[in-house]
Amino acid sequence: MEQKYVPDDDFGSFLSSVQRAVNQSKSHEASMRIMHTLSQNKEERVAEMMTQVKVSWADFNDGLKYLEETGLVEMQDDDEGGLLRLTDEGLRWTQTMKMDSNDDDEGEH
Amino acid sequence: MWLEWVITGLFGALIGAGEIVSQFRDEPDDALRTLPALGYLVFNAIASLFALAIIRIFGWTMGVQDEILSGWAQVVAAGFGAMALLRASIFNVRDGDKVIAIGPSRFLEIVLASVKDAVDRKRAEQRGVVVSQIMKDVNFNKAWQALPAYCFGLLQSLPQEEQDKFGKKIALLVNATMSERVKSLLLGLTLMNLVGEKVLSTAVTNLGDDILMKPLPVPTASDVSNPVG
């Protein structure tokens, strides 16, 4: 059996992954909307999330899949279509993202 | 006589402490100093004392004839007995993929989860301060490729899978509509989780002006004497 050769790689995987992912901007918009919604409510049902983020089913699906791949959001399957919640890292992200809106609020006053 | 009660209490507390330390190997001090952790130790100590009281009420000598030795045998039995009893579950309930143990162990699981939350909160505060110090002058647009690549180059051992996952997170930031400062903080936070504080700090220092915001020009003597230019 011929074995697949995997080259040593210090940072090449990162660079190719980030370049590839930057071009998927459509699913990123849906992903960020999901993150914003989850930052306000700790967890949300998939069906309710769909109505809140207001994107097409395909974009929502891509955005959610993308977030699960990054490990920022996890979905727990249940009888009602699944429950979405932030992982520990996702929670830290949204806490930092809130600094942006806090700055905006302070700027307005 | 009172020494046996003290040792029993300490026995219980030590078992509780060992359990917490084993779960938080990287920061055992932080974990033990939280309020839920102290509550956990006290609860274990009380359970051991209660077990010793029961053993003495029923006069269990553990088969040892000598009175002094029998007292110490009771101490050991109370310590281990309370530990076994508190960690026991009567039956298991299955909820989807999860198996939930019903019994005294359930209570201990809840307390341990509170300790974990308390430690995470404490660490989050420390991480937030450190990241904001390291990343305070970093320009996200200059750094989002160079800084991670340099850190991974320094580490030399980050699996490709982790690099892919990290790349996806950073791509999310590149396309997001948020301030550069918050993007830089998130870049630093995510990177620090993978490479640690020292590598991140070293990388920012080494890359220097290549990733930093443009410094304000220092006024020269000619600028001061001829401000209009």
Side-chain angles (χ1 to χ4, degrees):
Chain A
M1 257 317 257
E2 192 183 333
Q3 281 195 326
K4 195 180 173 186
Y5 172 67
V6 181
D8 285 343
D9 177 16
D10 290 343
F11 53 82
S13 290
F14 159 68
L15 289 176
S16 55
S17 159
V18 79
Q19 290 293 351
R20 252 194 333 267
V22 161
N23 297 324
Q24 296 179 296
S25 55
K26 213 167 185 184
S27 64
H28 292 167
E29 198 186 325
S31 298
M32 290 312 284
R33 287 188 185 188
I34 293 170
M35 290 284 283
H36 277 295
T37 308
L38 284 175
S39 71
Q40 286 153 8
N41 317 329
K42 220 173 175 183
E43 53 186 33
E44 196 72 79
R45 301 225 152 266
V46 173
E48 284 164 19
M49 179 65 81
M50 261 215 72
T51 58
Q52 290 191 44
V53 295
K54 290 170 187 162
V55 291
S56 69
W57 166 248
D59 288 347
F60 176 78
N61 203 27
D62 288 346
L64 183 57
K65 196 177 158 204
Y66 190 91
L67 283 177
E68 283 186 295
E69 283 170 2
T70 59
L72 295 170
V73 167
E74 61 188 4
M75 183 161 79
Q76 191 188 325
D77 288 325
D78 61 12
D79 297 337
E80 292 172 56
L83 189 67
L84 295 176
R85 61 166 69 105
L86 292 165
T87 59
D88 287 347
E89 189 177 13
L91 202 62
R92 286 195 287 273
W93 266 52
T94 53
Q95 281 164 355
T96 309
M97 280 157 60
K98 275 180 187 168
M99 289 170 65
D100 222 9
S101 48
N102 291 346
D103 288 351
D104 291 346
D105 291 346
E106 281 171 23
E108 284 170 16
H109 290 298
Chain B
M1 206 52 178
W2 60 269
L3 187 64
E4 289 169 359
W5 290 95
V6 172
I7 299 288
T8 306
L10 281 176
F11 206 127
L14 275 175
I15 288 168
E19 205 168 355
I20 289 173
V21 168
S22 69
Q23 295 216 6
F24 303 95
R25 285 176 189 280
D26 49 343
E27 301 280 354
D29 298 353
D30 281 350
L32 283 172
R33 274 192 228 124
T34 57
L35 203 61
L38 290 176
Y40 189 72
L41 301 192
V42 170
F43 181 78
N44 274 277
I46 291 172
S48 296
L49 293 171
F50 185 69
L52 183 63
I54 299 259
I55 288 169
R56 297 228 158 140
I57 287 167
F58 286 101
W60 295 333
T61 59
M62 311 296 150
V64 181
Q65 300 301 320
D66 185 272
E67 200 176 321
I68 297 170
L69 282 179
S70 163
W72 287 111
Q74 287 174 337
V75 168
V76 174
F80 282 113
M83 182 183 82
L85 198 67
L86 283 176
R87 282 140 190 91
S89 58
I90 299 164
F91 58 90
N92 293 330
V93 175
R94 183 173 282 274
D95 176 21
D97 293 339
K98 279 186 184 172
V99 177
I100 302 167
I102 304 294
S105 65
R106 180 81 187 130
F107 172 76
L108 291 194
E109 276 175 26
I110 292 168
V111 180
L112 275 177
S114 330
V115 175
K116 188 177 176 293
D117 286 346
V119 173
D120 283 347
R121 273 197 297 275
K122 203 170 177 179
R123 280 182 186 164
E125 286 167 23
Q126 290 166 349
R127 257 198 303 256
V129 173
V130 170
V131 166
S132 57
Q133 278 172 354
I134 296 174
M135 302 294 287
K136 71 177 190 309
D137 294 323
V138 173
N139 181 327
F140 178 80
N141 284 327
K142 288 182 181 178
W144 66 272
Q145 288 188 91
L147 183 60
Y150 187 70
C151 287
F152 298 161
L154 288 176
L155 267 191
Q156 289 189 317
S157 58
L158 196 70
Q160 293 187 7
E161 202 177 291
E162 287 293 329
Q163 291 189 35
D164 284 345
K165 206 170 165 184
F166 181 85
K168 285 179 179 169
K169 285 179 199 164
I170 299 311
L172 204 56
L173 287 179
V174 172
N175 289 321
T177 47
M178 61 175 87
S179 73
E180 294 296 309
R181 181 172 144 260
V182 171
K183 284 184 182 183
S184 288
L185 287 176
L186 285 170
L187 171 66
L189 196 66
T190 311
L191 206 44
M192 199 166 80
N193 285 342
L194 282 180
V195 302
E197 182 189 332
K198 281 184 185 168
V199 172
L200 177 62
S201 176
T202 306
V204 169
T205 309
N206 290 355
L207 289 172
D209 287 346
D210 289 332
I211 59 163
L212 296 181
M213 282 179 262
K214 204 174 178 182
L216 290 171
V218 179
T220 59
S222 59
D223 291 337
V224 174
S225 60
N226 186 15
V228 182

